[in-house]
Structures are given as C-alpha cells and as structure tokens.
Amino acid sequence: MSMYLTCLDLEGVLVPEIWIAFAETTGIEELKRTTRDEPDYDKLMKYRIDILKQHNLGLKEIQDTIRKIDPLPGAKEFLDELRSCCQTIILSDTFTQFAAPLMEKLGQPTIFCNTLEVAPSGEITGFKMRVENSKYTTVKALQSIGYETIASGDSFNDLGMIQASKAGFLFRSTEKIIKEYPQYPAFTEYSELLGAIKKVISE
C-alpha cells in the first residue's frame, strides 16, 4: 500500500480567486488578470504590485476584502472528507498574509505558500517565492521522502505538480487548459474529484 499525499491548489479550487474579488471590490479591472491568463507568475505579481502602487492600495485593503471571502460552496466539507482518508497539503502561489483568514474558515489545513514583502506603511513592495516553481518542486520533494502524490488544480501554474504526480486532475479549469491537456480528467464537482482521489488511493 502506497503512502499517498494529495496536493491541492487553493484559489479557484477551494476559495474564490483573491485578486478577482479584490478587483471587484475596488473596481480596478486590470487586477482581474490571474495565472489562468498569465503563465509567468513573476511577471503577473510585478504587474499587480505596480497597479496597487498607482492606486495607493496596500496589504490592509486586500486583507479587508479577504476577510469577507468565504470558501467555495462545499469546499470545507470536501476538504474534511479528503483529509479523513488522505494526508492533504494545499500548495498555493498565494501569500501567508492572504491565506490566514481563509485557512481558518477551511478548518486550518496545511498550506505551503509564499510571503509578501510589506513596508511599515502597509505598501506591498515585493514578494518572496518559497522556492522556484514551487508546486512542482514541492511535489518532487515529497516524492523524495517516500510519498506518492495526487495533485489537482485549475491553472497553468498547477500543471507541473499535476504532471509530476502519480495521478493528476484538473478542477474547474479553463476550456483552453482542458483542451490542451486532455490526458488529465477534468472535474467541476467536489464529489467527482473526491471519488477519483479515493479510487487512486484504494487501488
């Protein structure tokens, strides 16, 4: 029997996209760009930080929005059931300063993410990635210590961990990604994803 560990993306899979929620709150359309649109995360974050600077918005304003965000309907129940049958880690390119209020609402699952560099004034000045290509690198590291990984996500930055895992699933992804990667089953319901993961574990 293999030791399985499931790695899940956060935004778009368990919670709404934080930047989209913030774009809607502030009315700043340009902040709706996500990793679904821009595969280069470094480029995307620099673009976001520039826009925040132009509008004089900082960490506090984003955290105020995040506090109002609830997990996607059914996400917590899905996560609870998944965690009862399999070790689960959320691998996200978000930041500890964003994730904390959401982790509380999800029952404090384990999350590996990045950190923002914030000036005393609250201005976001930069960001520190935990490691290069963090989702893929983390999955390979987990495999190196004896785990088989199962991975699921919705965006370009999830493909590395999905491809490197024993089993990978797309969840609520875009038509473009689903079309380009037909080898990965694509689900839209938690019950389907849970069933597929359980099937891999029991084989």
Side-chain angles (χ1 to χ4, degrees), residues 116-189:
L116 287 168
E117 291 163 355
V118 185
S121 66
E123 183 195 339
I124 297 170
T125 53
F127 57 99
K128 197 172 176 337
M129 301 298 274
R130 193 166 46 80
V131 284
E132 192 60 37
N133 200 350
S134 66
K135 299 184 185 195
Y136 170 79
T137 311
T138 303
V139 154
K140 295 307 277 180
L142 291 166
Q143 290 165 355
S144 77
I145 55 169
Y147 285 101
E148 286 275 21
T149 60
I150 299 168
S152 183
D154 68 332
S155 293
F156 284 108
N157 63 341
D158 299 312
L159 292 167
M161 71 171 179
I162 287 172
Q163 288 162 336
S165 290
K166 166 95 187 228
F169 307 106
L170 294 169
F171 189 73
R172 298 185 184 170
S173 191
T174 61
E175 271 180 42
K176 181 175 160 45
I177 294 175
I178 292 168
K179 214 174 250 143
E180 281 177 31
Y181 296 88
Q183 66 272 44
Y184 301 114
F187 302 124
T188 55
E189 297 302 323

Side-chain angles (χ1 to χ4, degrees), residues 11-12 15-22 34-36 69 154-155:
E11 294 179 66
V15 303
E17 293 278 352
I18 291 168
W19 288 96
I20 290 178
F22 189 58
T34 69
T35 47
R36 289 172 159 208
I69 296 177
D154 68 332
S155 293

